[in-house]
Amino acid sequence: QKEVEQNSGPLSVPEGAIASLNCTYSDRGSQSFFWYRQYSGKSPELIMSIYSNGDKEDGRFTAQLNKASQYVSLLIRDSQPSDSATYLCAFQGAQKLVFGQGTRLTINP
Amino acid sequence: GAVVSQHPSWVICKSGTSVKIECRSLDFQATTMFWYRQFPKQSLMLMATSNEGSKATYEQGVEKDKFLINHASLTLSTLTVTSAHPEDSSFYICSARVTGGPYGYTFGSGTRLTVV
């Protein structure tokens, strides 16, 4: 079993709709979770970090964490074409970040 | 804040030569630097973890004699790809953990290495 599972996509969402990205992880001891966005040919940039169960909102982005279900998600409201990218979820493992394979998101105008 | 500056952003080299990639933390001290490699349409693969003043820890399957990592100061870590071959062509990214803030891990801008 992979440590972090993400649907690789591609996920296609119409402009203005809500994009929902999901991630499950295997390490029950994990406390810190991150969502990164990576444009083609660029390095990842941090979108959200979440440490507690529940929702955390930042602008159009909402991260959701459920430690009991070992599940973390990212919602993007009012999706824009500029949101088209690969989204990587990650958790803090022992001394390093553990990444999922990434979900490729395309927002269609 | 929490910026990691990575250079060069791209490099083309001949097979058999060596290439050095630098990562500098500009406004914080990076006691630990992580080096990743990413092939097209794949996720980041951790190559090694370097700690200031000590030897790097390499992930399984990564040749430590080929990918030399030096972390001599709290603000500079380097990765040297020795005797590069076309199969080493990839996107190399460094990252540092930033403590005491919301940044988590911050990434350099990446280096696109092409070996011809």
Side-chain angles (χ1 to χ4, degrees):
Chain A
Q1 181 188 4
K2 290 183 180 177
E3 292 183 276
V4 183
E5 295 269 8
Q6 278 187 268
N7 187 331
S8 62
L11 176 64
S12 190
V13 172
E15 183 176 357
I18 296 175
S20 177
L21 304 163
N22 304 310
C23 181
T24 58
Y25 60 94
S26 60
D27 185 353
R28 283 195 170 275
S30 300
Q31 299 295 322
S32 305
F33 303 86
F34 307 92
W35 280 100
Y36 287 87
R37 176 176 63 197
Q38 187 177 25
Y39 292 115
S40 181
K42 303 293 185 182
S43 67
E45 56 179 324
L46 182 66
I47 298 295
M48 295 279 285
S49 58
I50 186 166
Y51 309 103
S52 305
N53 276 327
D55 295 359
K56 179 181 177 182
E57 188 174 316
D58 184 359
R60 295 186 296 112
F61 299 95
T62 300
Q64 300 173 318
L65 174 61
N66 184 324
K67 292 185 179 180
S69 300
Q70 296 174 248
Y71 174 93
V72 60
S73 66
L74 179 70
L75 300 177
I76 307 174
R77 289 181 300 280
D78 188 23
S79 298
Q80 303 296 310
S82 59
D83 295 326
S84 297
T86 296
Y87 289 80
L88 301 159
C89 76
F91 72 85
Q92 174 67 56
Q95 308 300 323
K96 64 182 182 181
L97 267 185
V98 181
F99 281 96
Q101 64 190 67
T103 298
R104 190 153 54 93
L105 174 67
T106 300
I107 307 300
N108 300 309
Chain B
V3 176
V4 172
S5 176
Q6 183 171 349
H7 293 279
S9 56
W10 61 271
V11 58
I12 301 173
C13 72
K14 290 185 178 181
S15 189
T17 61
S18 296
V19 173
K20 180 185 283 189
I21 301 170
E22 289 189 353
C23 279
R24 294 181 183 273
S25 56
L26 298 186
D27 47 6
F28 68 102
Q29 293 182 330
T31 53
T32 303
M33 195 74 79
F34 303 88
W35 288 93
Y36 295 88
R37 180 167 55 180
Q38 187 177 35
F39 292 107
K41 299 191 187 304
Q42 295 186 24
S43 190
L44 286 77
M45 186 194 81
L46 181 64
M47 300 174 66
T49 303
S50 74
N51 292 294
E52 184 266 336
S54 62
K55 289 184 179 180
T57 302
Y58 291 82
E59 296 295 304
Q60 193 172 9
V62 178
E63 300 174 61
K64 62 181 181 181
D65 294 330
K66 181 171 184 60
F67 298 100
L68 301 179
I69 291 173
N70 185 284
H71 196 158
S73 78
L74 288 171
T75 58
L76 175 64
S77 179
T78 62
L79 166 67
T80 302
V81 183
T82 63
S83 186
H85 290 284
E87 57 265 31
D88 298 323
S89 299
S90 188
F91 192 48
Y92 292 85
I93 312 171
C94 62
S95 174
R97 184 176 183 185
V98 185
T99 56
Y103 307 107
Y105 290 73
T106 188
F107 287 82
S109 54
T111 298
R112 173 74 57 192
L113 170 64
T114 302
V115 185
V116 297

